[in-house]
Amino acid sequence: MNLSVPLRSLRRYATLSRSLGLLADFKYEQTDPARFYGHLADDTVELLTRIWQDCQGSAGDSHSALAGRTVLDVGGGPGYFARAFADAGVDYVSVEPDVGEMSAAGIELESSVRGSGLDLPFRTGSFDLVYSSNVAEHVPLPWRMAEEMLRVTKPGGLAIISYTCWYGPFGGHEMGRTHYLGGHRAARMYTKKHGHRPKNLYGESLFKVGTAEGLRWAKNTSAGTLVADFPRYHPWWAWWINRVPVLRELGTSNLVLVMRR
């Protein structure tokens, strides 16, 4: 766990009840996406707002810390996050490569751009804050995407990468814990049980990304500086898990890397 910034505001928010509420929603990802992604979107806005306030030294109400800032959502999906950011007064833009995913929820967005996170269609230094939520595990070159995120971040701004860790309990997504038997085998087991392939197919749209490689990239990249890392769904008093090499792989369901450009 790296905390060169103490994240005091975020610690007050990262409670056990918040963690339990978020984890309980995972079972609705496929059956009730509006419920799952709606709650996740609200949490993401609160999470990023508090991180921004802590890292930039913003004073006053945390709920207005990001108001008026430019934010890029890499892998914005069908628009649940756009609504949450609009309510927070954020100048929000999303980029998503999949047209079907962009229209999946029937939400019309004027600020959504079709494009790849591996080659973002924006000028260098365009946004105050750039983030991705549960995207890195779905691209074959996650750290290239992370470098691109830093490229389009303004100097002094933040890039925040939050991703599902393969060896954690939710690494297999809808395939459940069978991913511990191997990604390809888990996909075959899912297909046999349900009669169709999983949405997140290992080797095509789901890849093995651990905590150690994320931390290694963040500490060694020349594109930015790691200012904080923590397990997203843990209460603040359990963030120490990131200091224990093997335990963090198995116990961290989602790793957050906070980078300053």
Side-chain angles (χ1 to χ4, degrees):
M1 176 181 61
N2 178 76
L3 282 177
S4 60
V5 174
L7 300 180
R8 293 188 179 90
S9 176
L10 182 59
R11 285 174 179 268
R12 292 194 296 271
Y13 177 67
T15 62
L16 180 60
S17 60
R18 170 217 172 230
S19 299
L20 294 175
L22 287 168
L23 292 173
D25 279 352
F26 270 93
K27 61 179 175 289
Y28 298 109
E29 181 180 7
Q30 299 294 316
T31 59
D32 191 355
R35 173 174 178 169
F36 172 75
Y37 287 106
H39 188 187
L40 187 64
D42 290 338
D43 180 76
T44 298
V45 173
E46 188 68 30
L47 185 82
L48 299 188
T49 299
R50 288 176 179 269
I51 290 174
W52 180 268
Q53 181 185 38
D54 288 335
C55 290
Q56 305 297 66
S58 303
D61 182 7
S62 65
H63 295 287
S64 61
L66 272 182
R69 299 289 180 177
T70 54
V71 172
L72 174 65
D73 177 357
V74 179
Y80 297 111
F81 286 70
R83 290 179 172 176
F85 276 102
D87 290 342
V90 172
D91 185 3
Y92 172 91
V93 177
S94 69
V95 59
E96 169 65 49
D98 188 341
V99 174
E101 187 70 16
M102 292 170 72
S103 59
I107 301 173
E108 294 185 7
L109 296 178
E110 296 181 358
S111 59
S112 186
V113 177
R114 186 182 182 187
S116 170
L118 302 180
D119 188 17
L120 291 171
F122 303 102
R123 293 179 180 177
T124 297
S126 295
F127 300 92
D128 294 307
L129 189 152
V130 180
Y131 89 99
S132 65
S133 177
N134 300 306
V135 176
E137 71 271 23
H138 296 296
V139 297
L141 300 170
W143 312 122
R144 175 176 167 177
M145 183 188 78
E147 296 277 343
E148 272 289 277
M149 290 172 61
L150 281 166
R151 179 185 65 79
V152 301
T153 302
K154 293 179 180 179
L158 299 177
I160 301 173
I161 302 99
S162 171
Y163 66 91
T164 302
C165 304
W166 176 255
Y167 294 106
F170 300 103
H173 287 249
E174 70 269 31
M175 294 184 293
R177 307 296 188 272
T178 60
H179 71 293
Y180 290 122
L181 302 175
H184 294 297
R185 184 178 183 184
R188 291 194 299 270
M189 292 172 66
Y190 181 93
T191 302
K192 183 177 180 180
K193 179 179 180 180
H194 297 277
H196 60 85
R197 302 198 308 175
K199 174 185 176 182
N200 300 289
L201 187 63
Y202 183 77
E204 294 184 15
S205 57
L206 180 63
F207 301 89
K208 185 185 298 184
V209 188
T211 60
E213 60 188 281
L215 292 168
R216 184 164 54 248
W217 166 81
K219 293 173 181 177
N220 292 297
T221 181
S222 60
T225 302
L226 177 66
V227 295
D229 66 78
F230 57 92
R232 177 170 182 173
Y233 300 119
H234 288 51
W236 68 268
W237 42 262
W239 287 357
W240 59 266
I241 195 173
N242 272 16
R243 297 198 301 267
V244 186
V246 176
L247 185 59
R248 69 191 177 200
E249 296 291 344
L250 298 172
T252 298
S253 57
N254 187 288
L255 178 66
V256 179
L257 301 170
V258 182
M259 307 292 296
R260 192 189 302 278
R261 168 85 188 281

